């Protein structure tokens, strides 16, 4: 008995590495809509900080940012700016932990054959910008080598916000590629912060930190339905355990945002049946990880990250002359070249190497010019770059201020260049989609499926 012919796929049905990922496509669309709002709020917070920091009331801005509150015996007497960076940003990293685990358990990262290209691209997009930064500062004899990791990060909120505005007809595979790349980029950034920006570790506090973390893990793993069915138990029971984990992590000397990632990793992704067996993912009955993501993402994108950006992005530029002096600093030059040039080169080179040297392949409809636009877009470094800057150089120092300007300039350049290129490509794909939908004979079947052998 002859098998039925397979139905043709329209140009709009994209796959990556030869495999359809429809669930991921729907999820990416939802994330794009959410991150558009987050990107707009980030932009508003950044502009407000720059205006205030360069206004006649600039002293007030820096006084508020540097005002210390907290309890000294618990190592928690911190400036408001540090509370935003170490405390509020832990909420952002909690969501990063949820997203990472979801990708590894139920997303595209669970299949190495499917994930290898964007994973390799993310690694290249970290290594090359770091090398560019180091080369610039070594050549200039600068003492700013400690900031080598600043241009390695991609700001997922800004990048996805830009993509959401211009990507009405771009292949969904490109969106999946960018999200996977950014997720792996976040994972690498977390490792860099934990291993390269941690000093004077106090093991005793780390051991104590394991107690609330273990209690948090046990509760979310054993009774996920209890915390998923209603919201108050998370605030009354889990939040104190999370705060204790964060505080002890902070006291240990390891950057406190790592606690947010560990707490995110603890939350189960898949639902379990009465016999404790894992059930397949079901959008109509989401696991606790997805429930928490829906609950806490508004707190992160609507409050935590914009407040962090507001207290981290403010820098006194000193007018055009001051701005001109800043971009002569090897630290700022290294960041700008690392993000705008190093990021796309690293992403494209590693993507080419993997696709040329292995069996891994990109979607047949994705062109290298499309990936060039995505690589440039990944050069938008903001949230994590600002955080790494504060870990590299003391707040208020010349290098710290110059690095902030470099991050802002590079992010603007990357956003504008990527928007110009991807807008042109979006226009091209819109024409292709219009051609695919042509039905000149008005028979209800697009003409593309009636040409040649298909007629």
């Amino acid at each position: 008995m002859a098998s039925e012919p397979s139905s043709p796929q329209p140009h709009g049905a994209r796959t990556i590495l030869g495999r359809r990922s429809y669930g991921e496509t729907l999820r990416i669309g939802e994330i794009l809509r959410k991150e558009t709002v987050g990107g707009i709020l980030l932009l508003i917070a950044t502009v407000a900080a720059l205006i205030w920091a360069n206004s006649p009331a600039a002293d007030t801005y820096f006084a508020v940012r540097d005002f210390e509150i907290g309890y000294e015996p618990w190592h928690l007497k911190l400036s408001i700016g540090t509370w935003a960076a170490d405390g509020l940003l832990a909420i952002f990293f909690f969501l990063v932990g949820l997203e990472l685990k979801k990708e590894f358990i139920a997303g595209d990262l669970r299949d190495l054959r499917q994930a290898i290209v964007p994973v390799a691209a993310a690694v290249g997009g970290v290594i090359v910008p770091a090398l560019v930064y180091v080369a610039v500062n070594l050549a200039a004899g600068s003492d700013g080598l400690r900031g080598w990791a600043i241009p390695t990060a991609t700001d997922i909120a800004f990048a996805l916000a830009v993509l959401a505005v211009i990507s009405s007809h771009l292949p969904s595979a490109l969106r999946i590629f960018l999200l996977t790349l950014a997720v792996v980029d976040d994972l690498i950034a977390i490792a860099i912060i934990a291993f390269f920006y941690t000093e004077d570790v106090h093991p005793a506090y780390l051991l104590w930190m394991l107690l609330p973390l273990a209690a948090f893990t046990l509760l979310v793993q054993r009774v996920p339905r209890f915390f998923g069915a209603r919201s108050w138990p998370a605030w009354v029971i889990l939040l104190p355990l999370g705060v204790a984990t964060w505080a002890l992590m902070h006291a240990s000397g390891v950057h406190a945002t790592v606690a947010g990632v560990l707490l995110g990793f603890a939350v189960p992704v898949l639902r379990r049946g009465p016999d404790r067996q894992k059930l397949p993912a079901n959008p109509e009955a989401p696991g606790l990880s997805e429930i928490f993501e829906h609950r806490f993402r508004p707190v992160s994108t609507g409050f935590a990250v914009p407040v962090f950006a507001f207290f981290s992005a403010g820098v006194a530029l000193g007018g055009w002359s001051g701005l001109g002096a800043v971009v002569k600093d090897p630290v700022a030059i290294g960041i700008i070249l690392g993000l705008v040039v190093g990021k796309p080169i690293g992403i494209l080179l590693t993507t080419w190497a993997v696709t040329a040297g292995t069996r891994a392949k990109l979607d047949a409809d994705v062109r290298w010019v499309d990936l060039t636009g995505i690589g440039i877009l990944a050069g938008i470094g903001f949230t994590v770059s600002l955080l790494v800057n504060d870990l590299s150089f003391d707040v208020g120092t010349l290098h710290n201020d110059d690095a902030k300007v470099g991050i802002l300039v590079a992010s603007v350049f990357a956003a504008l260049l990527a928007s110009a290129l991807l807008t042109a490509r979006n226009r091209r794909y819109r024409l292709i989609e219009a051609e695919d939908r042509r039905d000149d004979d008005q028979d209800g079947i697009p003409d593309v499926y009636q040409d040649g052998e298909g007629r």
Side-chain angles (χ1 to χ4, degrees), residues 93 96-97 100 185-195 257-258 261 265 384:
F93 277 99
V96 169
L100 282 170
D185 187 283
D186 282 340
L187 179 60
I188 298 174
I190 293 163
I192 289 174
I193 291 171
F195 288 103
T257 53
V258 177
V261 179
F265 281 160
V384 181

Side-chain angles (χ1 to χ4, degrees), residues 427-446:
R427 190 179 303 115
R428 168 68 175 166
Y429 283 111
R430 184 169 61 245
L431 294 175
I432 292 175
E433 182 176 321
E435 184 66 22
D436 285 350
R437 292 180 176 178
R438 284 184 56 188
D439 184 16
D440 293 339
D441 55 10
Q442 300 294 317
D443 63 351
I445 301 175

Side-chain angles (χ1 to χ4, degrees), residues 116-136:
I116 186 63
V117 177
V119 169
V123 174
V126 168
I127 293 176
V128 175
L131 293 177
V132 169
Y133 178 93
V134 170
V136 169

Side-chain angles (χ1 to χ4, degrees), residues 148-208:
W148 63 270
I150 296 174
T152 63
T154 294
D155 190 290
I156 184 61
F158 266 142
L160 287 181
V162 173
L163 189 64
V165 172
I166 62 177
S167 67
S168 59
H169 293 80
L170 290 176
S172 59
L174 278 180
R175 307 174 189 183
I176 295 173
F177 187 96
L178 176 62
L179 180 67
T180 306
L181 183 149
V183 166
V184 177
D185 187 283
D186 282 340
L187 179 60
I188 298 174
I190 293 163
I192 289 174
I193 291 171
F195 288 103
F196 294 98
Y197 291 95
T198 294
E199 299 176 354
D200 300 327
V201 177
H202 303 286
Y205 284 111
L206 278 179
L207 292 175
W208 280 109

Side-chain angles (χ1 to χ4, degrees), residues 73-95:
W74 292 353
H75 304 280
L76 292 178
K77 189 173 184 180
L78 310 172
S79 68
I80 292 179
T82 304
W83 274 110
D86 292 4
L88 291 180
L89 214 56
I91 302 173
F92 166 79
F93 277 99
F94 173 71
L95 289 169

Side-chain angles (χ1 to χ4, degrees), residues 90 93-94 97-98 101 204-222 227 237-250 252 254-268 292:
F93 277 99
F94 173 71
L98 294 177
K101 186 173 182 181
Y205 284 111
L206 278 179
L207 292 175
W208 280 109
M209 181 273 300
L210 294 177
L211 293 179
L213 177 61
F216 181 95
T217 303
L218 181 65
L219 287 171
V220 295
Q221 290 288 336
R222 296 298 298 180
F227 294 105
I237 301 174
L238 296 182
L239 181 60
L241 292 173
V243 171
T245 302
W246 174 88
L248 290 168
M249 180 72 81
H250 183 275
S252 74
V254 179
H255 198 267
T257 53
V258 177
V261 179
L262 295 178
L263 292 168
F265 281 160
V267 180
F292 277 3

